[in-house]
Amino acid sequence: MIMPIRQFQAQRMHAPRDFQRIENTPICVEIGAGKGKHALLFSEQHPDLSLIAIERTREKFLAMQKQHQSEGQTNLTPIHADALPWVVHALYPAQVQQFFILYPNPEPHNPAQRWLNMPFFEFLISRLQPNGNITLASNIPEYIAEAEQQLQEVWKLPYEKQIIASDSARTHFEIKYLERGELCQQLIIRKPEHYSTRFDEMQPRQGQAVETLSEQAHVD
């Protein structure tokens, strides 16, 4: 079943507590970084890329922060915040090289809160560079299948589906699922050169609701 998508009300998002703006430079962003296993590994393996790792749960964020302080990657910035308002207030149009959403909550009782079913996903696409990627991983085949359908029917975005190798160890969840013998898959979603959204001209605004510069853009 195709989930209907409303327009995201970005102007209603207020900046997170203790919010600090970032520079408009190319970055990668991990949403729901947990204790930071993937973020720490990625930043170590890609010293030429800057990664912002967002985690909402305080306990997990503090664990990531402690490990980061121990390892000291200068290209990693852990952020303690809810991802939606932080993305709206912090990120510039077409700024992000890669988004990582690894093993998100499948929201079994609230399908509208799954990433590709949310109106917010259109805003997320607007922050992605042309030819940039979103990596979405899950151990739930139905979650991946639904996301594929949304990509085909709603978002009209090209993607590649991959089976994650049994020895992969990017996150604590991934290790646990693969040790159980579960099928872990990911979608590598690409933003085409001339893809447009209704939020392509929206700039971040600190400390207040944001405003759109154009209300008439559309998704091609």
Side-chain angles (χ1 to χ4, degrees), residues 14-56:
H14 293 280
R17 181 181 299 178
D18 301 323
F19 174 77
Q20 295 182 355
R21 299 192 73 169
I22 64 172
E23 295 182 4
N24 187 7
T25 57
I27 58 171
C28 302
V29 176
E30 180 173 0
I31 295 176
K35 296 180 180 180
K37 186 173 181 62
H38 172 262
L40 291 157
L41 182 65
F42 180 88
S43 56
E44 180 181 358
Q45 293 177 340
H46 300 88
D48 56 324
L49 298 177
S50 296
L51 175 66
I52 291 179
I54 308 168
E55 175 54 42
R56 179 175 58 184

Side-chain angles (χ1 to χ4, degrees), residues 59-83:
E59 181 181 357
K60 292 179 180 179
F61 167 77
L62 290 175
M64 172 169 55
Q65 186 181 56
K66 181 178 179 180
Q67 191 62 32
H68 177 229
Q69 290 170 346
S70 173
E71 297 188 19
Q73 291 93 326
T74 58
N75 59 329
L76 172 61
T77 304
I79 297 288
H80 182 213
D82 186 301

Side-chain angles (χ1 to χ4, degrees), residues 133-202:
N133 295 325
I134 301 173
T135 299
L136 175 71
S138 178
N139 65 316
I140 301 174
E142 294 80 8
Y143 189 101
I144 293 292
E146 181 186 74
E148 284 190 90
Q149 186 177 23
Q150 294 294 88
L151 288 169
Q152 294 166 7
E153 303 294 336
V154 176
W155 304 115
K156 312 293 186 182
L157 285 168
Y159 67 92
E160 178 183 351
K161 181 165 71 172
Q162 301 174 347
I163 294 176
I164 296 168
S166 60
D167 61 350
S168 186
R170 294 176 298 182
T171 77
H172 294 95
F173 282 125
E174 186 165 87
I175 293 170
K176 178 174 69 174
Y177 298 147
L178 290 172
E179 285 180 347
R180 291 177 182 170
E182 296 182 20
L183 174 64
C184 291
Q185 301 176 93
Q186 64 185 14
L187 303 178
I188 309 297
I189 305 161
R190 182 178 63 83
K191 179 181 178 179
E193 281 281 349
H194 301 294
Y195 191 95
S196 64
T197 79
R198 289 169 284 196
F199 304 103
D200 290 344
E201 303 301 323
M202 180 183 286

